């Protein structure tokens, strides 16, 4: 589909340009004179069909898209920390609450925006009666409100219809597991700035498709490390199409309907590319290739009955992780982070740290579930216990510390990047990633159908 020209934000960034990348930001600043910097009404967003009459969920896009402070109010120099450490005590010498930097870092306000922050809250939100489960003691996280129930119900209804009617995803005996996954609640909680349910469905289909590949190719439902490379490569062509001679094109096209994972990948990606810009679609393909590479490393260890070193496991988890999910936050939010900004090393580091932290959350909450499953499942506590000779409890608690360090690094690097590059789309993207991190933890904590904590406290 034709992509509208992206109107740049209002910015004057001589220092930030030289620090963050003259090629990327120079073009932005050069086009910026005289244009609006309020991304809530950005005409470059890729629009989706509106909801049917009578279906209006959550706050308006305007309420979820706060105005970013003018660039001149944000220092071009980086900051060593977020300004409010984990203890909630302000750091002496950091900008006060009235400055542009503080306004940017503490994120938007209003209904549905509680997770859109780059800094710890001074006070946690009031407990919500509907919340279930309990957080891991000592795990650094930000509590968030329950996702909007109207949106959750509608996304849940639509995703089940898609799974059954459009891609024939699972047999009847798997229905309880599909429902127990609560993917509608998951995605609504991770994307509080999505302007419509249609936008939320982009993330929800992809999440379901990715889990189908993991379950059916790698783990729970017939998965095996043997032959995994072939299965993943052929499935990846549902995301990244094969271009070949006419004689063989029909065979490839038919193969996309051969099994549930490929049907789900093909359909979810088809919806996504119709809503996303070309660079956003290619970004997702790249991150999915990263994911598949991580699957292959874990499969190799399983075939060799090998427990990797802790650092090797963490390297694998930087690929086999949630990265494809937060990296599409701009598409789900109805705007686009320009490709040259997304590609900057500082932003890539922030995305990697956030994705690594969220994946360790999965290791920690799924620990008992995987211990109860047949065979040996690698997760961070298991690897630490095996490689460093620690008890199960001490290994688990060390994994909690590793998660916390990754989270603090993510928040510190995100705050420094927000100060160095005060471009509205970058600020909004960073808040979207932070929202995904918070929503991901909330889903793991509260999904008691899938997860329970070990008896270590």
């Amino acid at each position: 589909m034709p992509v509208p020209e992206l109107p740049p934000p209002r910015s004057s960034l001589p220092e930030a340009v030289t620090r963050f990348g003259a090629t990327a930001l120079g073009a932005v600043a050069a086009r910026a004179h005289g244009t609006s910097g309020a991304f809530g009404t950005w005409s470059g967003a890729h629009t989706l069909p509106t909801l049917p009459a009578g279906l209006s969920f959550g706050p308006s896009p305007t309420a979820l898209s706060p105005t970013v402070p003018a660039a001149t109010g944000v220092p071009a120099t980086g900051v060593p920390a977020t300004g409010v450490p984990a203890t909630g005590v302000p750091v002496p010498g950091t900008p006060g609450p009235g400055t542009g930097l503080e306004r940017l870092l503490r994120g938007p306000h209003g209904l549905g925006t509680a997770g859109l922050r780059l800094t710890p809250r001074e006070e946690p939100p009031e407990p919500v009666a509907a919340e279930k489960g309990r957080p891991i003691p000592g795990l650094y996280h930000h509590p968030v409100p329950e996702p909007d129930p109207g949106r959750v119900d509608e996304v849940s209804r639509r995703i089940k219809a898609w799974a059954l009617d459009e891609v024939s995803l699972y047999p009847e005996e798997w229905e309880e597991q599909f429902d127990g996954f609560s993917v509608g609640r998951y995605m609504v909680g991770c994307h509080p700035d999505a302007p419509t349910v249609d936008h939320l469905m982009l993330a929800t289909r992809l999440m379901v498709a990715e889990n189908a590949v993991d379950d059916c190719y790698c783990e729970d439902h017939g998965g095996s490390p043997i032959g995994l490379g072939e299965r993943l490569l052929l499935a990846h062509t549902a995301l990244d199409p094969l271009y070949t001679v006419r004689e063989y094109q029909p065979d490839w096209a038919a193969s996309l309907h051969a099994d549930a994972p490929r049907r789900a990948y093909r359909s979810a990606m088809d919806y996504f590319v119709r809503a996303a810009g070309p660079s956003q679609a290619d970004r997702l393909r790249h991150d999915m290739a990263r994911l598949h590479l991580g699957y292959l490393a874990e499969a190799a260890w399983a075939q060799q009955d090998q427990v990797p070193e802790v650092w090797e496991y963490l390297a694998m988890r930087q690929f086999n992780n949630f990265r494809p999910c937060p990296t599409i936050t701009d598409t789900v939010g109805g705007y686009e982070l320009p490709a040259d900004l997304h590609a900057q090393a500082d932003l890539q580091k922030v995305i990697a740290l956030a994705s690594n932290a969220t994946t360790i959350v999965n290791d920690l909450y799924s620990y008992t579930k995987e211990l109860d499953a047949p065979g040996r499942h690698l997760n961070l506590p298991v690897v630490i216990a095996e490689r460093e000779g620690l008890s199960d409890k001490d290994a688990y608690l060390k994994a909690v510390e590793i998660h916390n360090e990754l989270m603090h690094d993510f928040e510190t690097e995100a705050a420094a990047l927000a100060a160095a590059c005060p471009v509205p789309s970058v600020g909004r993207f960073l808040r979207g990633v932070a929202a995904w991190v918070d929503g991901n933890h909330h889903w793991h904590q509260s999904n008691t159908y899938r997860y329970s904590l070990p008896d270590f406290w």
Side-chain angles (χ1 to χ4, degrees):
M1 70 179 216
V3 181
E5 182 179 354
L6 304 178
R10 183 188 307 151
S11 182
S12 175
L13 310 172
E15 291 182 69
V17 168
T18 58
R19 292 187 68 255
F20 187 68
T23 301
L25 294 181
V28 173
R31 299 194 308 266
H33 182 67
T35 61
S36 172
F39 51 71
T41 56
W42 184 20
S43 62
H46 303 284
T47 57
L48 287 165
T50 57
L51 287 174
L55 288 180
S56 177
F57 299 105
S60 68
T62 303
L64 290 167
S65 303
T67 303
V68 170
T72 54
V74 182
T77 57
V79 292
T82 60
V84 183
T87 59
V89 179
V91 175
T94 55
T99 66
L101 178 59
E102 178 63 19
R103 289 168 58 203
L104 178 63
L105 295 183
R106 72 172 179 253
H109 300 277
L111 182 63
T113 62
L116 296 176
R117 299 175 185 269
L118 296 179
T119 60
R121 297 175 179 81
E122 294 182 6
E123 297 179 0
E126 290 296 319
V128 180
E131 184 175 313
K132 299 182 298 183
R134 64 187 180 100
I136 294 169
L139 190 78
Y140 179 72
H141 68 283
H142 302 306
V144 296
E146 278 293 307
D148 180 275
R151 285 191 161 199
V152 170
D153 289 346
E154 180 63 10
V155 171
S156 299
R157 182 191 68 80
R158 291 195 197 185
I159 194 60
K160 194 164 187 177
W162 173 80
L164 294 175
D165 301 337
E166 294 191 42
V167 298
S168 301
L169 186 69
Y170 60 85
E172 184 177 347
E173 57 267 27
W174 295 358
E175 183 173 15
E176 181 184 346
Q177 295 175 53
F178 183 87
D179 293 342
F181 192 82
S182 301
V183 68
R185 185 168 169 274
Y186 193 0
M187 293 297 96
V188 173
C190 286
H191 295 284
D193 71 335
T196 71
V197 171
D198 287 314
H199 287 81
L200 285 166
M201 286 300 299
L202 299 174
T204 309
R205 292 186 201 94
L206 287 166
M207 172 61 78
V208 169
E210 290 155 19
N211 275 275
V213 169
D214 190 23
D215 285 348
C216 296
Y217 285 1
C218 306
E219 294 190 7
D220 299 340
H221 296 296
S224 168
I226 299 172
L228 180 59
E230 176 191 11
R231 295 193 297 276
L232 288 177
L233 185 145
L234 296 179
H236 196 83
T237 67
L239 309 172
D240 201 347
L242 173 66
Y243 299 103
T244 189
V245 296
R246 291 185 182 88
E247 179 180 357
Y248 301 110
Q249 197 78 19
D251 293 337
W252 165 73
S255 77
L256 300 182
H257 301 271
D259 59 26
R262 280 183 275 187
R263 290 193 297 271
Y265 263 6
R266 183 204 61 79
S267 177
M269 192 66 180
D270 183 55
Y271 278 101
F272 186 81
V273 298
R274 283 187 276 158
S279 68
Q280 291 172 307
D282 201 55
R283 179 201 310 170
L284 176 61
R285 294 185 187 104
H286 187 189
D287 284 340
M288 291 301 294
R290 284 179 163 126
L291 175 66
H292 295 157
L293 184 61
Y295 285 169
L296 292 174
E298 190 168 8
W301 292 329
Q303 282 188 279
Q304 298 164 12
D305 194 24
Q306 174 185 348
V307 177
E309 298 288 347
V310 176
W311 74 264
E312 293 174 327
Y313 179 82
L314 292 171
M316 180 275 293
R317 270 316 215 178
Q318 184 161 307
F319 291 82
N320 177 6
N321 75 8
F322 285 116
R323 187 181 185 125
C325 305
T327 199
I328 63 171
T329 184
D330 55 336
T331 307
V332 181
Y335 67 100
E336 181 168 1
L337 177 68
D340 50 359
L341 294 179
H342 176 266
Q344 291 294 315
D346 290 342
L347 187 52
Q348 289 294 302
K349 182 177 182 180
V350 168
I351 295 170
L353 286 168
S355 303
N356 292 348
T358 60
T359 305
I360 302 307
V361 163
N362 179 262
D363 277 12
L364 293 167
Y365 278 99
S366 64
Y367 176 75
T368 57
K369 176 176 178 281
E370 292 182 343
L371 287 182
D372 292 340
R376 178 166 60 186
H377 287 254
L378 292 182
N379 56 53
L380 185 56
V382 166
V383 173
I384 292 173
E386 176 78 16
R387 282 296 183 178
E388 300 186 0
L390 298 180
S391 68
D392 291 345
K393 177 180 178 179
D394 288 343
Y396 190 94
L397 297 180
K398 182 169 183 178
V400 171
E401 293 174 0
I402 291 172
H403 164 271
N404 291 351
E405 184 174 338
L406 288 169
M407 275 290 290
H408 291 305
D409 288 348
F410 156 62
E411 292 185 343
T412 298
E413 294 292 336
L417 177 56
C421 182
V423 176
S425 60
V426 172
R428 186 176 181 188
F429 187 87
L430 292 173
R431 287 192 295 273
V433 172
W436 207 96
V437 170
D438 291 350
N440 175 72
H441 173 267
H442 181 74
W443 177 82
H444 278 86
Q445 170 200 324
S446 56
N447 192 332
T448 54
Y449 173 84
R450 289 174 62 86
Y451 306 121
S452 60
L453 299 186
D455 187 19
F456 291 155
W457 299 275

